[in-house]
């Protein structure tokens, strides 16, 4: 039986009403609905994950081709986490739409939900992002048209797509850095267990002949078909470890390294890399060949499986004994990837309201914290229901109360080029020159050229009370293209070397930062956002209540600082340039 729905979803309305009153539907949106038949299911009566992957790939490809106007191929798929399984007789609804187009590639968002026809309920199964590339035509490389977002949700996904693309480009680098620092201690411990299952027992190798039904209209093998075959051998491998039917819970981000065509022999290999207490990682490799040619690497993926008991709770799994040499390496890498999965799930996947105010920072999760930092600011900036609270000399204060959270935005314009504003505001050490709340500011560490951690000291919020200090991660982003702003995102992190002390009240920032938009003739719009926390709210509460206009003085001082220093970029510290 399928899992019971945890978060029922309302049936989606296909049309939206814009502020102009016009009816709107995303032109790239494609929907597929399939009733799950016994031929689609495994012997537990649940929809095969491989079949679901095929449907997801087909739907996403059609969406990509609707936007591109030409044939497209699957280039990569981000992490997929399956929240529930789907039973025979239930309906799978898949919605795909292009979130953003780049030069010749585009990100397609995919939402999968399950519908029970008897109870009229619908709930989420998974949410995924796939990258598709437009195939070259007779005229050469395709230049994709830009996506124009019309709704708040589309604007948010459009903005976040640029940050997700950045993550994809550095994903391999993150993996390699973490793998280089992983320890072999755990491997030695596993070799000592006498009841451990030899990894060799879980090895699976299978070959598939690519026939016309397996290919798309471009005579290339469906990416979804390859994923389905890979899931099949991975399931067999996982079953050999646990002697039970495993449930696929997640697939790590993967890239297609090359195409496969009709007539290819596709060789699929799988082995359990590591067994944790309640889950296991299976590595799968797909290679292709024709005739006597050498094998071509098509794809490598890592899948996480669980075995569920009668109450749908994960069972404890047997230990595994890695093979010598390569097996030990795979075992160590699996542990490193588990750390990355936890970081991504903890920092990226959860809702913004569920993210702790201050998240521990270390080199292994710095990229994910940076992603979360910038994404949170983009999501806040994409809100459209801001309320103007006060305005003075073209400095405007807006507020937004949502989900028991108060946010505020300060907006102004300066006659300084956007890039110069970005460079001047990027180094928080210079903020003391215009913001009286910044009494002290020191750099703790420069993580990389885009991220710096600062310690900030601010005045006491009560007369005679302790001063506050903040440990802030500042993440900087230049525009992805001409339609994007410069961004400086701020959020609290924790560092073991800088614990709270008795002399200071440790304040925390959940989401804050600047969005800097270039306008005509070196004229720039600056928007400062802050998702108010108890450590921040006292500094702005009188302004929000209309009892003070200190926000105006602060940002008037900021404007004057930018005007005075717009020609002094040569003197900026290297870290801020």
């Amino acid at each position: 039986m399928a899992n019971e729905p945890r978060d029922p979803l309302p049936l989606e309305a296909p049309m939206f009403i814009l502020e102009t009153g016009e009816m709107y539907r995303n032109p790239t949106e494609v929907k597929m609905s399939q009733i799950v038949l016994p031929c689609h299911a495994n012997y537990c009566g649940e929809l095969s994950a491989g079949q679901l992957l095929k449907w997801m790939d087909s739907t996403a490809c059609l969406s990509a081709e609707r936007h591109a106007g030409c044939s497209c191929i699957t280039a990569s798929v981000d992490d997929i986490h399956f929240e529930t399984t789907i039973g025979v007789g239930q309906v799978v609804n898949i919605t795909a739409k292009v979130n953003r187009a780049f030069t010749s590639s585009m990100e397609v968002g995919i939402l999968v939900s399950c519908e029970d026809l008897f109870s009229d309920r619908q709930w989420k199964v998974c949410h995924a992002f796939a990258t598709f590339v437009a195939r070259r035509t007779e005229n050469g490389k395709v230049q994709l048209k830009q996506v124009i977002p019309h709704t708040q949700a589309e604007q948010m996904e459009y903005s976040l797509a640029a940050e997700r693309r950045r993550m994809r480009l550095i994903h391999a680098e993150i993996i390699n850095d973490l793998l280089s620092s992983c320890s072999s201690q755990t491997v030695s411990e596993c070799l000592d267990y006498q009841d451990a299952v030899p990894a060799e027992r879980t090895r699976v190798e299978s070959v598939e002949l690519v026939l016309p039904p397996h290919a798309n209209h471009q005579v290339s093998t469906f990416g979804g078909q390859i994923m389905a075959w890979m899931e099949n051998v991975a399931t067999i491998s996982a079953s050999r470890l646990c002697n039970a039917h495993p449930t696929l819970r997640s697939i790590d981000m993967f890239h297609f390294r090359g195409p496969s065509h009709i007539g290819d022999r596709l060789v699929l290999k799988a082995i359990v890399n590591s067994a944790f207490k309640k889950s296991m990682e299976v590595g799968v490799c797909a290679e292709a060949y024709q005739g006597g040619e050498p094998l071509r690497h098509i794809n490598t993926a890592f899948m996480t499986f669980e075995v569920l008991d009668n109450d749908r709770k994960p069972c404890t799994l047997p230990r595994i004994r890695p093979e010598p040499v390569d097996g030990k390496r795979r075992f160590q890498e699996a542990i490193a990837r588990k750390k990355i999965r936890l970081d991504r799930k903890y920092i990226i996947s959860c809702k913004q309201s569920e993210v702790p105010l201050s998240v521990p920072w270390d080199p292994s999760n710095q990229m994910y914290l940076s992603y979360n930092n910038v994404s949170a600011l983009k999501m806040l900036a994409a809100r459209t229901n801001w309320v103007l609270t006060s305005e003075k000399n073209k400095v405007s204060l807006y507020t937004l109360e949502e989900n028991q959270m108060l946010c505020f935005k300060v907006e102004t314009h300066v006659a300084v080029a956007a890039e110069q504003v970005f460079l001047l505001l990027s180094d928080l050490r210079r903020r003391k020159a215009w913001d009286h709340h910044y009494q002290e500011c020191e750099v703790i560490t420069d993580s990389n050229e885009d991220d710096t951690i600062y310690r900030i000291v601010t005045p006491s919020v009560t007369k005679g009370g302790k001063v506050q200090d903040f440990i802030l991660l500042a993440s900087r982003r230049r525009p992805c293209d001409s339609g994007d702003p410069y961004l400086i995102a701020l959020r609290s992190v924790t560092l073991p070397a800088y614990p709270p002390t008795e002399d200071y009240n440790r304040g925390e920032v959940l989401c804050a930062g600047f969005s800097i938009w270039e306008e005509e003739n070196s004229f720039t719009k600056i928007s400062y956002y802050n998702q108010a926390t108890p450590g921040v709210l006292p500094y702005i509460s009188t302004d929000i209540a209309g009892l003070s206009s200190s926000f105006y003085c602060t940002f008037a001082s900021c404007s004057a600082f930018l005007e005075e220093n717009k020609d002094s970029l040569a003197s900026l510290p290297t870290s801020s340039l």
Side-chain angles (χ1 to χ4, degrees):
M1 293 294 293
N3 288 14
E4 286 296 316
R6 290 180 292 177
D7 298 305
L9 298 176
L11 291 175
E12 292 183 280
M15 305 290 286
F16 295 91
I17 301 177
L18 301 178
E19 293 180 357
T20 59
E22 298 177 72
M23 299 296 291
Y24 167 76
R25 178 173 178 173
N26 190 308
T28 70
E29 184 177 276
V30 172
K31 293 189 174 185
M32 176 187 287
S33 293
Q34 297 279 357
I35 190 164
V36 179
L37 302 175
C39 61
H40 301 138
N42 55 34
Y43 54 80
C44 290
E46 298 170 349
L47 174 65
S48 160
Q51 180 62 61
L52 178 58
L53 291 168
K54 288 168 65 174
W55 287 339
M56 290 170 64
D57 182 65
S58 298
T59 310
C61 184
L62 292 173
S63 174
E65 293 183 345
R66 176 175 286 185
H67 178 75
C70 62
S71 300
C72 297
I73 55 176
T74 314
S76 68
V77 180
D78 290 3
D79 296 1
I80 305 176
H81 178 73
F82 299 98
E83 298 182 12
T84 64
T85 55
I86 304 170
V88 171
Q90 294 178 328
V91 173
V92 180
N93 295 310
I94 305 173
T95 303
K97 55 187 175 182
V98 177
N99 291 329
R100 184 162 184 162
F102 302 97
T103 305
S104 59
S105 67
M106 67 205 94
E107 179 191 276
V108 180
I110 311 164
L111 176 63
V112 180
S113 61
C114 180
E115 180 182 353
D116 189 314
L117 295 174
F118 299 99
S119 64
D120 204 26
R121 289 182 302 170
Q122 190 170 152
W123 58 93
K124 178 183 172 183
V125 175
C126 67
H127 191 199
F129 299 99
T131 301
F132 283 80
V133 176
R135 292 176 66 98
R136 288 177 176 269
T137 64
E138 295 178 355
N139 298 323
K141 194 172 183 179
V142 174
Q143 176 73 42
L144 293 174
K145 60 185 177 183
Q146 289 298 308
V147 171
I148 302 175
H150 287 84
T151 67
Q152 178 178 308
E154 288 180 3
Q155 179 60 53
M156 190 179 300
E157 291 297 347
Y158 177 88
S159 185
L160 294 177
E163 194 64 17
R164 286 190 289 262
R165 180 173 184 257
R166 180 178 181 272
M167 286 294 299
R168 292 179 199 112
L169 295 176
I170 61 176
H171 181 255
E173 178 185 334
I174 297 170
I175 295 287
N176 292 335
D177 287 346
L178 191 54
L179 294 185
S180 64
S181 61
C182 63
S183 169
S184 61
Q185 181 180 357
T186 312
V187 180
S188 301
E189 293 175 356
C190 275
L191 293 175
D192 293 337
Y193 290 116
Q194 297 300 317
D195 59 344
V197 177
E200 179 62 29
R201 187 186 298 175
T202 70
R203 185 181 295 278
V204 178
E205 181 171 330
S206 181
V207 64
E208 298 282 355
L209 175 62
V210 180
L211 300 173
H214 303 138
N216 55 28
H217 48 291
Q218 309 149 33
V219 300
S220 296
T221 314
F222 268 120
Q225 178 64 69
I226 296 174
M227 289 188 280
W229 282 333
M230 295 175 74
E231 186 271 338
N232 178 60
V233 294
T235 300
I236 296 171
S237 177
S239 299
R240 288 180 176 175
L241 174 71
C242 59
N243 296 323
H245 178 73
T247 298
L248 179 63
R249 277 302 180 213
S250 66
I251 304 175
D252 288 4
M253 181 188 298
F254 61 87
H255 301 261
F256 285 95
R257 306 296 179 183
S260 169
H261 305 285
I262 292 175
D264 277 350
R265 279 68 171 169
L266 212 62
V267 180
L268 303 133
K269 302 174 183 177
I271 191 170
V272 175
N273 292 329
S274 181
F276 308 104
K277 187 175 182 180
K278 301 286 188 180
S279 65
M280 70 186 97
E281 180 195 275
V282 179
V284 196
C285 176
E287 298 173 311
Y289 71 95
Q290 285 199 19
E293 69 179 23
L295 290 170
R296 309 188 311 274
H297 183 199
I298 302 299
N299 191 5
T300 296
F302 300 98
M303 304 183 183
T304 301
F305 289 85
E306 294 176 346
V307 176
L308 305 179
D309 61 19
N310 293 334
D311 296 323
R312 310 300 294 178
K313 302 295 184 184
C315 301
T316 301
L317 299 175
R319 298 183 179 90
I320 194 163
R321 184 181 301 116
E323 298 174 302
V325 190
D326 283 347
K328 292 180 180 179
R329 172 185 57 78
R330 288 194 297 267
F331 187 92
Q332 291 171 351
E333 291 176 351
I335 294 172
R337 281 187 293 270
K338 183 183 180 184
K339 168 72 167 62
I340 290 175
R341 286 183 207 111
L342 290 174
D343 285 340
R344 289 173 69 88
K345 183 178 180 180
Y346 180 61
I347 297 171
I348 295 178
S349 301
C350 55
K351 298 175 183 177
Q352 192 60 30
S353 59
E354 298 171 351
V355 178
L357 286 181
S358 190
V359 177
W361 178 93
D362 66 61
S364 68
N365 72 2
Q366 63 180 357
M367 292 300 178
Y368 304 119
L369 272 175
S370 180
Y371 170 92
N372 173 270
N373 195 14
V374 174
S375 298
L377 179 60
K378 287 184 173 184
M379 291 168 68
L380 189 57
R383 300 293 186 192
T384 57
N385 48 339
W386 292 95
V387 177
L388 179 63
T389 301
S390 58
E391 186 173 20
K392 184 177 179 181
N393 293 346
K394 298 183 179 180
V395 179
S396 305
L397 174 64
Y398 298 83
T399 57
L400 171 64
E401 190 172 359
E402 195 171 76
N403 298 325
Q404 298 182 333
M405 182 73 71
L406 178 66
C407 307
F408 64 88
K409 173 176 73 169
V410 181
E411 199 165 86
T412 188
H413 290 78
V414 294
V416 181
E419 184 175 17
Q420 293 172 312
V421 172
F422 172 70
L423 293 174
L424 287 165
L425 296 181
S426 286
D427 189 352
L428 298 190
R429 289 171 296 185
R430 297 176 69 102
R431 187 160 167 174
K432 293 185 295 181
W434 60 270
D435 188 349
H436 67 278
H437 295 126
Y438 273 53
Q439 290 185 338
E440 299 177 25
C441 181
E442 63 173 312
V443 172
I444 295 177
T445 180
D446 275 316
S447 304
N448 52 51
E449 62 181 9
D450 294 323
D451 300 282
T452 305
I453 299 177
Y454 296 89
R455 178 177 177 267
I456 314 295
V457 177
T458 64
S460 170
V461 296
T462 59
K463 187 175 181 180
K466 294 180 182 180
V467 295
Q468 283 201 115
D469 70 342
F470 297 80
I471 307 298
L472 296 184
L473 169 65
S475 303
R476 301 171 289 271
R477 296 290 188 274
R478 292 178 177 273
C480 182
D481 59 40
S482 59
D484 292 330
Y486 293 85
L487 293 172
I488 304 166
L490 306 171
R491 70 154 299 142
S492 288
V493 294
T494 58
L495 292 173
Y498 288 84
T501 62
E502 293 184 358
D503 297 330
Y504 298 89
N505 283 328
R506 175 58 53 86
E508 294 184 312
V509 173
L510 178 58
C511 173
F514 295 91
S515 178
I516 302 164
W517 293 87
E518 185 171 15
E519 297 186 346
E520 295 180 359
N521 301 322
S522 296
F523 208 60
T524 299
K525 182 176 77 172
I526 304 173
S527 299
Y528 174 75
Y529 298 88
N530 200 308
Q531 193 166 338
T533 58
V536 172
L537 190 56
Y539 296 114
I540 194 72
S541 58
T542 55
D543 293 286
I544 293 173
L547 303 176
S548 169
S549 58
S550 63
F551 77 94
Y552 161 75
C553 297
T554 300
F555 280 85
S557 178
C558 176
S559 299
F561 165 79
L562 295 171
E563 292 275 1
E564 292 168 7
N565 292 275
K566 62 183 179 181
D567 298 322
S568 64
L569 296 179
S571 64
L572 280 172
T574 304
S575 62
S576 65
L577 294 172

